[in-house]
Amino acid sequence: AFVSMQAESKARVAERTLELADANARLEFEMAERQRAEAALRESAMRFRLLAENSTDIILRLTPDGVPRYVSPASAFVLGYAPEELIGQSIYDRIHADDLEALQQSPLPSIPQPAPRLFTFRVRHKAGHYVWIEASAQFLVDPQSSQTVEIQASVRDITTRKQVEAALE
């Protein structure tokens, strides 16, 4: 009976050892997958940062009411403001009064739009003059609430183009 109990015990230990080895192999695989996903995420963030930091266009992430959460370094070149001077400040405070009303009356989409919307308006430069800009804005909407949760925009200085158009008229 003792020999039988020993054999049975060894069989249970062997079975449990196989189960643990299998569980360990699954954990190692999951850890490797997570490390690959984290590396891909770091690389993606690095690519975005390089793109945003080296773009001549301003790249923005805004709250639905027009307050920047992120502003790329191009803001210093285009508008004279360092990104940190714009983050947390309403963009509407710097928009030309003649353009502000039209912008505020422009309906925000309540459902996701497949393509960005274009807006053209003047923004006050830090030096006091106005710069014509063209903003390509994508409105990100929460599918459950149908509310805009963020606006992502790319802003380009089109002052020279506007001056040429005015000269041709």
Side-chain angles (χ1 to χ4, degrees), residues 79-81 124-129:
L79 299 173
Y81 293 98
R124 189 176 54 253
H125 189 279
K126 189 173 184 175
H129 64 280

Side-chain angles (χ1 to χ4, degrees), residues 68-130:
R69 294 177 175 155
Y70 171 82
V71 179
S72 69
S75 64
F77 174 72
V78 176
L79 299 173
Y81 293 98
E84 55 274 8
E85 293 178 278
L86 298 173
I87 293 172
Q89 307 294 317
S90 174
I91 61 165
Y92 297 115
D93 295 342
R94 291 181 172 80
I95 295 175
H96 193 286
D98 293 345
D99 302 332
L100 184 58
E101 186 177 339
L103 262 179
Q104 289 177 327
Q105 290 179 355
S106 176
L108 295 179
S110 59
I111 56 172
Q113 302 290 312
R117 295 181 55 199
L118 284 177
F119 300 93
T120 302
F121 52 93
R122 290 164 287 182
V123 175
R124 189 176 54 253
H125 189 279
K126 189 173 184 175
H129 64 280
Y130 282 89

Side-chain angles (χ1 to χ4, degrees), residues 53-72:
E53 291 176 1
N54 293 300
S55 175
T56 56
D57 291 350
I58 303 171
I59 297 172
L60 299 160
R61 290 180 55 227
L62 305 147
T63 64
D65 54 346
V67 176
R69 294 177 175 155
Y70 171 82
V71 179
S72 69

Side-chain angles (χ1 to χ4, degrees), residues 18-31:
L18 285 174
E19 289 172 0
L20 289 173
D22 185 48
N24 190 44
R26 284 194 308 270
L27 282 173
E28 286 177 355
F29 176 76
E30 289 173 11
M31 286 172 47

Side-chain angles (χ1 to χ4, degrees), residues 17 27 33 37 41 44 49 56 63 91 99 117 151 159 161:
T17 301
L27 282 173
E33 284 295 306
L41 185 60
S44 176
R49 191 174 54 255
T56 56
T63 64
I91 61 165
D99 302 332
R117 295 181 55 199
I151 303 165
T159 304
R161 182 173 84 194

